[in-house]
Amino acid sequence: MKWQFYRRSRFPRAKGSGKSCFVPKSVTTLRSYTRLQFRSDLAAGVIVGVVALPLAIAFAIASGVTPDRGLYTAIIAGFLISALGGSRVQIGGPTGAFVVIVYGIVQKYGIDGLIVATIMAGIILVVLGVAKLGSAIKFIPHPVVVGFTSGIAVIIFSSQMRDFLGLRMGDLPVEFIPKWRAIASNLDSINPQAFGVALVALLIMVLWPRVSHRIPSPFVALIATTVAVRLLNIPVETIGTRFGAISATLPHLIVPHVSLEQVTALVAPAFTIALLAAVESLLSAVVADGMIGGRHRSNMELIAQGVANIVAPMFGGMPATGAIARTATNVKNGGRTPVAGMIHALTLLLITLFFGRWAGQIPLATLAAILVVVSYHMSEWRTFRSELTAPKSDVAVLLTTFSLTVIVDLTVAIEVGMVLAAFMFMRRMAEVTNVSIVTQELAEGNENDEDDDPNSVRRREVPPGVEVFEISGPFFFGAAEQFKDTLGQVAKKPKILIIRMRDVPAIDSTGLHALHELARRCKHDGTLLLLADVHAQPMFALVRSDMLAELGEENLFGNLDDALDRAREYLALPPVPHPPGAVPTVARETPNSELPKIA
């Protein structure tokens, strides 16, 4: 029998897989840019810049670094992400997702360690983009994303309780449980004035959207409480009293000093930063696509994120990624091209240069209130609650990732969550895959007599001494053991063993190994092994391995009827005509198949 193999190189290429996926959206959109669109981008960019101001400062303080580092990140990384990115409307900068990991790095390795880890993360992101792995990020399980996002929200909320309540105490412990113990033991030192300022700021952020959506509520709360504290001389701690005045100058190049041991130790945090940046930026880009009806270039987006995270820390910045809330604000206010994102960065630069010295007057209680609101929205508690009704395996992944994020470490949480989700997936796929002894079922009368399947074994005459096994589902390592167990149920060694694979769309190396072991066992026992209904992917896998040479090309068939005739030939029996109504189950046996073939 002559086999037909498919030439892979002639399959249609995936859309967006060419050189265009490495062209920034700024280049594409500026080809048809208009003055009217510039006006919309200008207004949106200024508004987003105002929104980003308090958030950049608040995220920096929550991360354990000085406020100016948050501003430098929003300016430099924000500009580069918009200029080089693969999304039309993405706004980049520091986000809450990095607070936990950045705080831990700073506490353990200092600012120099943070700079090196961020640059390493940027390099990883560029490599991921160049390797066209942007689409692979979407395969991170949803329970893992929800688990660590909600966990980060809880940690951010916890870290703001000292400033929100105005507690007179030292730095909070890094660990979650000791942190709340320290807060509880110092509740008698609450500053009523600071607590009042935080409540007023919180109230403004809740109620202001009813007045106007044009002016962002965090900015209104920041201005109102700062002016009130200044005019009324309210005794609360401000940015200036804790960190000193914010430098109203351009950042300068920083050369970090770290040892080789520290660089090695920073590999795991760097991968965590890169993963968080990739996930959050691409999620933000997908949300933005839904709002504007566009389509982002995921690989170019990863490259832009990487470049931003390489350059920004060299000038005092911290990790950056696409920010969903600021991106949504940009879209809602008319931003439709990367120009809006670049204007947002320039707006922040002007504010820093001309009004930076006034930022020292901002009450820390106000920034704590802003981050409490951020943590509330970031928690996605409705999504978290709905995930609890998912299958038990998904709930286990969700709760494990959430608990490890809060109690242990974000890096450990992501690693364990991914591994646990992978194992749960394997188990689920193994349960989907079924291996059955068809001839035994026929002998026991288990096959449905009303079976209307034209390719059913019940409609065929199976010669004595022939056993037919059928595998249903992907044949991978999760199903290999089930395959071996089912084969072990055959009491007598058959003369001929047919493995039917019409419902096997794919096979991996472990499945090939199981077939290889079966082939060796059959050869030892004097049993002829035949494979029937072999699809394209398993066929390619067999050809590329040495399995085909051992099995023999003459023992592979595209349908069960040819395999049964081969069995009859081996048993010196006459062939039987194919039953009428048989339907091809393999693409290469379909008449006028659209898939190209070569001899």
Side-chain angles (χ1 to χ4, degrees):
M1 177 178 180
K2 200 172 185 180
W3 274 86
Q4 304 284 336
F5 297 109
Y6 306 116
R7 193 192 304 273
R8 280 187 173 182
S9 61
R10 294 182 61 187
F11 280 107
R13 295 178 66 186
K15 188 176 181 180
S17 62
K19 294 181 180 179
S20 64
C21 69
F22 292 119
V23 177
K25 282 288 186 177
S26 57
V27 175
T28 306
T29 55
L30 289 179
R31 292 171 183 166
S32 57
Y33 202 63
T34 63
R35 184 178 299 177
L36 181 63
Q37 185 57 60
F38 175 74
R39 292 176 183 172
S40 298
D41 288 340
L42 177 64
V46 171
I47 292 173
V48 176
V50 171
V51 172
L53 174 67
L55 294 176
I57 295 173
F59 287 138
I61 293 175
S63 300
V65 299
T66 54
D68 55 341
R69 292 185 181 275
L71 291 173
Y72 294 156
T73 305
I75 294 168
I76 299 172
F79 186 90
L80 291 173
I81 289 172
S82 293
L84 303 177
S87 171
R88 296 171 64 97
V89 292
Q90 181 87 280
I91 301 296
T95 68
F98 292 123
V99 167
V100 179
I101 188 70
V102 170
Y103 188 85
I105 294 173
V106 171
Q107 294 298 311
K108 193 170 183 179
Y109 302 102
I111 294 298
D112 285 348
L114 175 64
I115 293 173
V116 172
T118 307
I119 293 174
M120 291 168 63
I123 295 172
I124 294 170
L125 285 167
V126 171
V127 171
L128 290 176
V130 172
K132 297 184 179 181
L133 295 176
S135 59
I137 302 296
K138 67 182 70 172
F139 294 111
I140 295 178
H142 187 60
V144 174
V145 176
V146 175
F148 74 68
T149 302
S150 300
I152 291 170
V154 171
I155 294 176
I156 293 175
F157 176 83
S158 304
S159 66
Q160 297 309 303
M161 286 301 98
R162 182 185 65 165
D163 292 333
F164 191 90
L165 300 173
L167 300 178
R168 298 178 180 90
M169 59 183 294
D171 291 338
L172 288 172
V174 177
E175 295 80 10
F176 180 76
I177 296 177
K179 182 181 297 181
W180 276 102
R181 285 176 180 167
I183 292 171
S185 62
N186 286 276
L187 285 177
D188 56 349
S189 66
I190 290 179
N191 182 342
Q193 290 89 349
F195 186 38
V197 169
L199 288 178
V200 170
L202 195 62
L203 195 63
I204 291 173
M205 285 185 283
V206 172
L207 298 179
W208 180 256
R210 300 181 182 179
V211 178
S212 172
H213 287 282
R214 199 73 177 172
I215 305 176
S217 60
F219 183 75
V220 175
L222 185 144
I223 296 297
T225 54
T226 301
V227 171
V229 167
R230 180 70 175 174
L231 294 179
L232 300 176
N233 290 319
I234 301 175
V236 297
E237 196 173 11
T238 64
I239 290 178
T241 59
R242 182 179 295 181
F243 300 99
I246 294 180
S247 177
T249 59
L250 294 174
H252 59 277
L253 183 65
I254 297 174
V255 179
H257 301 282
V258 291
S259 65
L260 181 61
E261 292 181 354
Q262 287 179 315
V263 171
T264 304
L266 288 168
V267 170
F271 269 99
T272 302
I273 292 173
L275 179 62
L276 287 175
V279 171
E280 188 161 3
S281 64
L282 295 183
L283 284 176
S284 176
V286 169
V287 171
D289 286 347
M291 297 179 72
I292 65 174
R295 186 176 182 183
H296 71 281
R297 295 167 184 156
S298 57
N299 297 312
M300 193 64 229
E301 186 64 26
L302 288 183
I303 293 174
Q305 300 289 336
V307 172
N309 280 286
I310 292 172
V311 176
M314 293 182 178
F315 294 92
M318 51 190 284
T321 185
I324 296 177
R326 275 160 275 173
T327 299
T329 302
N330 179 36
V331 174
K332 290 177 182 177
N333 286 279
R336 289 297 181 273
T337 75
V339 172
M342 291 185 272
I343 291 174
H344 132 268
L346 295 176
T347 301
L348 277 172
L349 176 62
L350 294 175
I351 293 174
T352 302
L353 293 177
F354 294 102
F355 303 100
R357 60 192 180 93
W358 296 104
Q361 306 295 327
I362 298 174
L364 292 176
T366 299
L367 295 179
I370 291 173
L371 287 183
V372 165
V373 173
V374 169
S375 65
Y376 172 79
H377 292 298
M378 190 176 180
S379 68
E380 297 183 354
W381 63 271
R382 292 182 180 86
T383 303
F384 190 95
R385 184 179 63 183
S386 66
E387 281 292 314
L388 294 176
T389 62
K392 291 181 180 179
S393 58
D394 291 333
V395 175
V397 172
L398 171 72
L399 296 180
T400 300
T401 307
F402 174 79
S403 302
L404 290 176
T405 300
V406 173
I407 299 174
V408 183
D409 177 71
L410 181 60
T411 304
V412 174
I414 293 177
E415 292 171 351
V416 174
M418 289 292 293
V419 172
L420 184 59
F423 274 114
M424 293 296 185
F425 173 76
M426 296 173 206
R427 179 185 172 189
R428 200 172 300 162
M429 290 302 295
E431 291 173 350
V432 169
T433 305
N434 179 55
V435 183
S436 59
I437 313 175
V438 182
T439 43
Q440 181 175 312
E441 291 178 356
L442 288 172
E444 296 173 355
N446 293 335
E447 180 107 356
N448 184 2
D449 290 338
E450 297 181 359
D451 184 8
D452 57 358
D453 179 7
N455 295 323
S456 172
V457 179
R458 184 179 62 83
R459 296 173 178 266
R460 272 82 179 158
E461 180 185 339
V462 180
V466 177
E467 291 283 359
V468 180
F469 282 68
E470 182 154 8
I471 307 173
S472 300
F475 190 23
F476 73 126
F477 56 90
E481 286 302 317
Q482 183 185 358
F483 176 70
K484 294 176 184 177
D485 292 342
T486 306
L487 285 173
Q489 296 176 20
V490 180
K492 289 180 60 179
K493 298 181 180 66
K495 294 180 181 179
I496 299 170
L497 180 62
I498 299 177
I499 306 296
R500 195 178 193 193
M501 303 172 67
R502 60 174 174 168
D503 294 321
V504 179
I507 187 171
D508 71 350
S509 61
T510 309
L512 283 172
H513 181 69
L515 287 178
H516 205 278
E517 285 186 346
L518 175 63
R520 284 201 297 263
R521 198 179 91 185
C522 287
K523 185 174 290 187
H524 178 270
D525 295 339
T527 299
L528 176 64
L529 177 62
L530 308 176
L531 301 184
D533 299 86
V534 185
H535 288 278
Q537 191 278 339
M539 190 65 227
F540 279 126
L542 289 167
V543 170
R544 294 172 65 179
S545 70
D546 58 355
M547 176 71 185
L548 186 62
E550 181 167 347
L551 186 64
E553 184 179 333
E554 69 279 4
N555 294 323
L556 271 72
F557 301 92
N559 62 77
L560 179 62
D561 296 303
D562 287 341
L564 288 172
D565 276 344
R566 171 74 176 99
R568 294 185 184 97
E569 177 188 347
Y570 184 80
L571 296 172
L573 297 174
V576 174
H578 291 196
V583 179
T585 59
V586 177
R588 60 180 165 271
E589 301 226 332
T590 305
N592 302 321
S593 172
E594 295 181 1
L595 296 176
K597 303 175 182 179
I598 63 172

PDB file of all heavy atoms in Angstrom, residues 82-107:
ATOM      1  N   SER A  82       4.029  52.974  24.426  1.00  0.00           N
ATOM      2  CA  SER A  82       3.112  53.513  23.412  1.00  0.00           C
ATOM      3  C   SER A  82       3.806  53.638  22.057  1.00  0.00           C
ATOM      4  O   SER A  82       3.220  53.322  21.016  1.00  0.00           O
ATOM      5  CB  SER A  82       2.582  54.877  23.861  1.00  0.00           C
ATOM      6  OG  SER A  82       1.755  54.745  24.994  1.00  0.00           O
ATOM      7  N   ALA A  83       5.069  54.083  22.056  1.00  0.00           N
ATOM      8  CA  ALA A  83       5.778  54.318  20.792  1.00  0.00           C
ATOM      9  C   ALA A  83       6.132  53.016  20.079  1.00  0.00           C
ATOM     10  O   ALA A  83       6.113  52.954  18.846  1.00  0.00           O
ATOM     11  CB  ALA A  83       7.042  55.138  21.055  1.00  0.00           C
ATOM     12  N   LEU A  84       6.467  51.980  20.835  1.00  0.00           N
ATOM     13  CA  LEU A  84       6.944  50.735  20.231  1.00  0.00           C
ATOM     14  C   LEU A  84       5.945  49.594  20.295  1.00  0.00           C
ATOM     15  O   LEU A  84       6.181  48.540  19.700  1.00  0.00           O
ATOM     16  CB  LEU A  84       8.240  50.290  20.923  1.00  0.00           C
ATOM     17  CG  LEU A  84       9.404  51.285  20.933  1.00  0.00           C
ATOM     18  CD1 LEU A  84      10.572  50.720  21.719  1.00  0.00           C
ATOM     19  CD2 LEU A  84       9.829  51.639  19.513  1.00  0.00           C
ATOM     20  N   GLY A  85       4.847  49.757  21.022  1.00  0.00           N
ATOM     21  CA  GLY A  85       3.940  48.654  21.312  1.00  0.00           C
ATOM     22  C   GLY A  85       3.094  48.192  20.140  1.00  0.00           C
ATOM     23  O   GLY A  85       2.999  48.846  19.105  1.00  0.00           O
ATOM     24  N   GLY A  86       2.443  47.061  20.361  1.00  0.00           N
ATOM     25  CA  GLY A  86       1.586  46.471  19.341  1.00  0.00           C
ATOM     26  C   GLY A  86       0.118  46.752  19.540  1.00  0.00           C
ATOM     27  O   GLY A  86      -0.725  46.174  18.858  1.00  0.00           O
ATOM     28  N   SER A  87      -0.213  47.657  20.470  1.00  0.00           N
ATOM     29  CA  SER A  87      -1.608  48.051  20.709  1.00  0.00           C
ATOM     30  C   SER A  87      -1.777  49.522  20.372  1.00  0.00           C
ATOM     31  O   SER A  87      -0.889  50.343  20.631  1.00  0.00           O
ATOM     32  CB  SER A  87      -1.986  47.804  22.176  1.00  0.00           C
ATOM     33  OG  SER A  87      -3.251  48.364  22.471  1.00  0.00           O
ATOM     34  N   ARG A  88      -2.930  49.863  19.835  1.00  0.00           N
ATOM     35  CA  ARG A  88      -3.197  51.254  19.457  1.00  0.00           C
ATOM     36  C   ARG A  88      -3.379  52.149  20.683  1.00  0.00           C
ATOM     37  O   ARG A  88      -3.052  53.335  20.627  1.00  0.00           O
ATOM     38  CB  ARG A  88      -4.459  51.339  18.596  1.00  0.00           C
ATOM     39  CG  ARG A  88      -4.375  50.635  17.262  1.00  0.00           C
ATOM     40  CD  ARG A  88      -5.736  50.586  16.581  1.00  0.00           C
ATOM     41  NE  ARG A  88      -6.214  51.912  16.246  1.00  0.00           N
ATOM     42  CZ  ARG A  88      -6.101  52.485  15.061  1.00  0.00           C
ATOM     43  NH1 ARG A  88      -5.499  51.834  14.081  1.00  0.00           N
ATOM     44  NH2 ARG A  88      -6.578  53.688  14.846  1.00  0.00           N
ATOM     45  N   VAL A  89      -3.900  51.595  21.776  1.00  0.00           N
ATOM     46  CA  VAL A  89      -4.340  52.453  22.885  1.00  0.00           C
ATOM     47  C   VAL A  89      -3.746  52.061  24.236  1.00  0.00           C
ATOM     48  O   VAL A  89      -4.154  52.588  25.267  1.00  0.00           O
ATOM     49  CB  VAL A  89      -5.883  52.442  22.974  1.00  0.00           C
ATOM     50  CG1 VAL A  89      -6.494  53.124  21.773  1.00  0.00           C
ATOM     51  CG2 VAL A  89      -6.424  51.027  23.103  1.00  0.00           C
ATOM     52  N   GLN A  90      -2.798  51.149  24.259  1.00  0.00           N
ATOM     53  CA  GLN A  90      -2.218  50.690  25.521  1.00  0.00           C
ATOM     54  C   GLN A  90      -1.513  51.832  26.262  1.00  0.00           C
ATOM     55  O   GLN A  90      -0.745  52.586  25.671  1.00  0.00           O
ATOM     56  CB  GLN A  90      -1.226  49.571  25.258  1.00  0.00           C
ATOM     57  CG  GLN A  90      -0.571  48.988  26.498  1.00  0.00           C
ATOM     58  CD  GLN A  90      -1.394  47.870  27.098  1.00  0.00           C
ATOM     59  OE1 GLN A  90      -2.366  48.134  27.798  1.00  0.00           O
ATOM     60  NE2 GLN A  90      -1.024  46.641  26.816  1.00  0.00           N
ATOM     61  N   ILE A  91      -1.775  51.941  27.565  1.00  0.00           N
ATOM     62  CA  ILE A  91      -1.079  52.890  28.436  1.00  0.00           C
ATOM     63  C   ILE A  91      -0.233  52.093  29.412  1.00  0.00           C
ATOM     64  O   ILE A  91      -0.742  51.225  30.126  1.00  0.00           O
ATOM     65  CB  ILE A  91      -2.073  53.783  29.209  1.00  0.00           C
ATOM     66  CG1 ILE A  91      -2.959  54.565  28.246  1.00  0.00           C
ATOM     67  CG2 ILE A  91      -1.319  54.727  30.145  1.00  0.00           C
ATOM     68  CD1 ILE A  91      -2.229  55.560  27.379  1.00  0.00           C
ATOM     69  N   GLY A  92       1.074  52.370  29.427  1.00  0.00           N
ATOM     70  CA  GLY A  92       1.989  51.624  30.280  1.00  0.00           C
ATOM     71  C   GLY A  92       2.467  52.440  31.462  1.00  0.00           C
ATOM     72  O   GLY A  92       2.413  53.670  31.465  1.00  0.00           O
ATOM     73  N   GLY A  93       2.934  51.721  32.468  1.00  0.00           N
ATOM     74  CA  GLY A  93       3.460  52.375  33.665  1.00  0.00           C
ATOM     75  C   GLY A  93       3.496  51.406  34.822  1.00  0.00           C
ATOM     76  O   GLY A  93       3.229  50.209  34.660  1.00  0.00           O
ATOM     77  N   PRO A  94       3.816  51.893  36.030  1.00  0.00           N
ATOM     78  CA  PRO A  94       3.807  51.012  37.206  1.00  0.00           C
ATOM     79  C   PRO A  94       2.382  50.594  37.542  1.00  0.00           C
ATOM     80  O   PRO A  94       1.439  51.370  37.353  1.00  0.00           O
ATOM     81  CB  PRO A  94       4.403  51.896  38.313  1.00  0.00           C
ATOM     82  CG  PRO A  94       4.125  53.296  37.867  1.00  0.00           C
ATOM     83  CD  PRO A  94       4.170  53.284  36.372  1.00  0.00           C
ATOM     84  N   THR A  95       2.203  49.374  37.999  1.00  0.00           N
ATOM     85  CA  THR A  95       0.881  48.870  38.352  1.00  0.00           C
ATOM     86  C   THR A  95       0.931  48.142  39.685  1.00  0.00           C
ATOM     87  O   THR A  95       2.003  47.810  40.201  1.00  0.00           O
ATOM     88  CB  THR A  95       0.339  47.910  37.272  1.00  0.00           C
ATOM     89  OG1 THR A  95       1.138  46.725  37.282  1.00  0.00           O
ATOM     90  CG2 THR A  95       0.367  48.539  35.888  1.00  0.00           C
ATOM     91  N   GLY A  96      -0.245  47.846  40.211  1.00  0.00           N
ATOM     92  CA  GLY A  96      -0.341  47.154  41.496  1.00  0.00           C
ATOM     93  C   GLY A  96       0.194  45.744  41.464  1.00  0.00           C
ATOM     94  O   GLY A  96       0.586  45.204  42.507  1.00  0.00           O
ATOM     95  N   ALA A  97       0.233  45.122  40.285  1.00  0.00           N
ATOM     96  CA  ALA A  97       0.702  43.738  40.193  1.00  0.00           C
ATOM     97  C   ALA A  97       2.143  43.600  40.653  1.00  0.00           C
ATOM     98  O   ALA A  97       2.559  42.537  41.113  1.00  0.00           O
ATOM     99  CB  ALA A  97       0.562  43.244  38.755  1.00  0.00           C
ATOM    100  N   PHE A  98       2.934  44.680  40.521  1.00  0.00           N
ATOM    101  CA  PHE A  98       4.357  44.603  40.862  1.00  0.00           C
ATOM    102  C   PHE A  98       4.658  44.960  42.313  1.00  0.00           C
ATOM    103  O   PHE A  98       5.809  44.808  42.746  1.00  0.00           O
ATOM    104  CB  PHE A  98       5.158  45.539  39.947  1.00  0.00           C
ATOM    105  CG  PHE A  98       5.187  45.121  38.517  1.00  0.00           C
ATOM    106  CD1 PHE A  98       4.747  45.972  37.523  1.00  0.00           C
ATOM    107  CD2 PHE A  98       5.642  43.870  38.154  1.00  0.00           C
ATOM    108  CE1 PHE A  98       4.773  45.599  36.197  1.00  0.00           C
ATOM    109  CE2 PHE A  98       5.669  43.476  36.825  1.00  0.00           C
ATOM    110  CZ  PHE A  98       5.237  44.337  35.852  1.00  0.00           C
ATOM    111  N   VAL A  99       3.686  45.472  43.034  1.00  0.00           N
ATOM    112  CA  VAL A  99       3.950  45.972  44.381  1.00  0.00           C
ATOM    113  C   VAL A  99       4.599  44.904  45.263  1.00  0.00           C
ATOM    114  O   VAL A  99       5.606  45.141  45.931  1.00  0.00           O
ATOM    115  CB  VAL A  99       2.653  46.491  45.031  1.00  0.00           C
ATOM    116  CG1 VAL A  99       2.850  46.725  46.525  1.00  0.00           C
ATOM    117  CG2 VAL A  99       2.199  47.782  44.351  1.00  0.00           C
ATOM    118  N   VAL A 100       4.022  43.714  45.248  1.00  0.00           N
ATOM    119  CA  VAL A 100       4.495  42.643  46.133  1.00  0.00           C
ATOM    120  C   VAL A 100       5.912  42.220  45.775  1.00  0.00           C
ATOM    121  O   VAL A 100       6.801  42.158  46.644  1.00  0.00           O
ATOM    122  CB  VAL A 100       3.541  41.434  46.061  1.00  0.00           C
ATOM    123  CG1 VAL A 100       4.048  40.316  46.959  1.00  0.00           C
ATOM    124  CG2 VAL A 100       2.142  41.843  46.456  1.00  0.00           C
ATOM    125  N   ILE A 101       6.152  41.924  44.516  1.00  0.00           N
ATOM    126  CA  ILE A 101       7.462  41.420  44.104  1.00  0.00           C
ATOM    127  C   ILE A 101       8.529  42.497  44.235  1.00  0.00           C
ATOM    128  O   ILE A 101       9.658  42.220  44.654  1.00  0.00           O
ATOM    129  CB  ILE A 101       7.394  40.854  42.660  1.00  0.00           C
ATOM    130  CG1 ILE A 101       8.695  40.142  42.295  1.00  0.00           C
ATOM    131  CG2 ILE A 101       7.070  41.940  41.656  1.00  0.00           C
ATOM    132  CD1 ILE A 101       8.921  38.865  43.025  1.00  0.00           C
ATOM    133  N   VAL A 102       8.189  43.753  43.887  1.00  0.00           N
ATOM    134  CA  VAL A 102       9.166  44.849  44.000  1.00  0.00           C
ATOM    135  C   VAL A 102       9.533  45.101  45.457  1.00  0.00           C
ATOM    136  O   VAL A 102      10.710  45.265  45.798  1.00  0.00           O
ATOM    137  CB  VAL A 102       8.616  46.134  43.348  1.00  0.00           C
ATOM    138  CG1 VAL A 102       9.511  47.332  43.675  1.00  0.00           C
ATOM    139  CG2 VAL A 102       8.507  45.956  41.839  1.00  0.00           C
ATOM    140  N   TYR A 103       8.546  45.103  46.329  1.00  0.00           N
ATOM    141  CA  TYR A 103       8.804  45.331  47.751  1.00  0.00           C
ATOM    142  C   TYR A 103       9.746  44.256  48.298  1.00  0.00           C
ATOM    143  O   TYR A 103      10.687  44.544  49.042  1.00  0.00           O
ATOM    144  CB  TYR A 103       7.484  45.331  48.529  1.00  0.00           C
ATOM    145  CG  TYR A 103       7.627  45.739  49.976  1.00  0.00           C
ATOM    146  CD1 TYR A 103       7.610  47.081  50.337  1.00  0.00           C
ATOM    147  CD2 TYR A 103       7.779  44.786  50.978  1.00  0.00           C
ATOM    148  CE1 TYR A 103       7.737  47.466  51.666  1.00  0.00           C
ATOM    149  CE2 TYR A 103       7.916  45.152  52.309  1.00  0.00           C
ATOM    150  CZ  TYR A 103       7.887  46.496  52.640  1.00  0.00           C
ATOM    151  OH  TYR A 103       8.030  46.871  53.963  1.00  0.00           O
ATOM    152  N   GLY A 104       9.494  43.001  47.931  1.00  0.00           N
ATOM    153  CA  GLY A 104      10.344  41.911  48.400  1.00  0.00           C
ATOM    154  C   GLY A 104      11.767  42.032  47.888  1.00  0.00           C
ATOM    155  O   GLY A 104      12.733  41.792  48.638  1.00  0.00           O
ATOM    156  N   ILE A 105      11.942  42.425  46.610  1.00  0.00           N
ATOM    157  CA  ILE A 105      13.289  42.571  46.037  1.00  0.00           C
ATOM    158  C   ILE A 105      14.038  43.703  46.719  1.00  0.00           C
ATOM    159  O   ILE A 105      15.225  43.568  47.067  1.00  0.00           O
ATOM    160  CB  ILE A 105      13.205  42.813  44.517  1.00  0.00           C
ATOM    161  CG1 ILE A 105      12.653  41.573  43.806  1.00  0.00           C
ATOM    162  CG2 ILE A 105      14.576  43.174  43.949  1.00  0.00           C
ATOM    163  CD1 ILE A 105      12.388  41.783  42.334  1.00  0.00           C
ATOM    164  N   VAL A 106      13.361  44.827  46.926  1.00  0.00           N
ATOM    165  CA  VAL A 106      14.009  45.978  47.562  1.00  0.00           C
ATOM    166  C   VAL A 106      14.444  45.640  48.984  1.00  0.00           C
ATOM    167  O   VAL A 106      15.547  46.002  49.421  1.00  0.00           O
ATOM    168  CB  VAL A 106      13.065  47.200  47.553  1.00  0.00           C
ATOM    169  CG1 VAL A 106      13.637  48.330  48.398  1.00  0.00           C
ATOM    170  CG2 VAL A 106      12.829  47.677  46.128  1.00  0.00           C
ATOM    171  N   GLN A 107      13.580  44.946  49.729  1.00  0.00           N
ATOM    172  CA  GLN A 107      13.919  44.589  51.099  1.00  0.00           C
ATOM    173  C   GLN A 107      15.113  43.648  51.162  1.00  0.00           C
ATOM    174  O   GLN A 107      15.927  43.706  52.087  1.00  0.00           O
ATOM    175  CB  GLN A 107      12.716  43.932  51.787  1.00  0.00           C
ATOM    176  CG  GLN A 107      11.532  44.853  51.976  1.00  0.00           C
ATOM    177  CD  GLN A 107      11.843  46.051  52.862  1.00  0.00           C
ATOM    178  OE1 GLN A 107      12.391  45.909  53.936  1.00  0.00           O
ATOM    179  NE2 GLN A 107      11.491  47.240  52.389  1.00  0.00           N
TER     180      GLN A 107
END
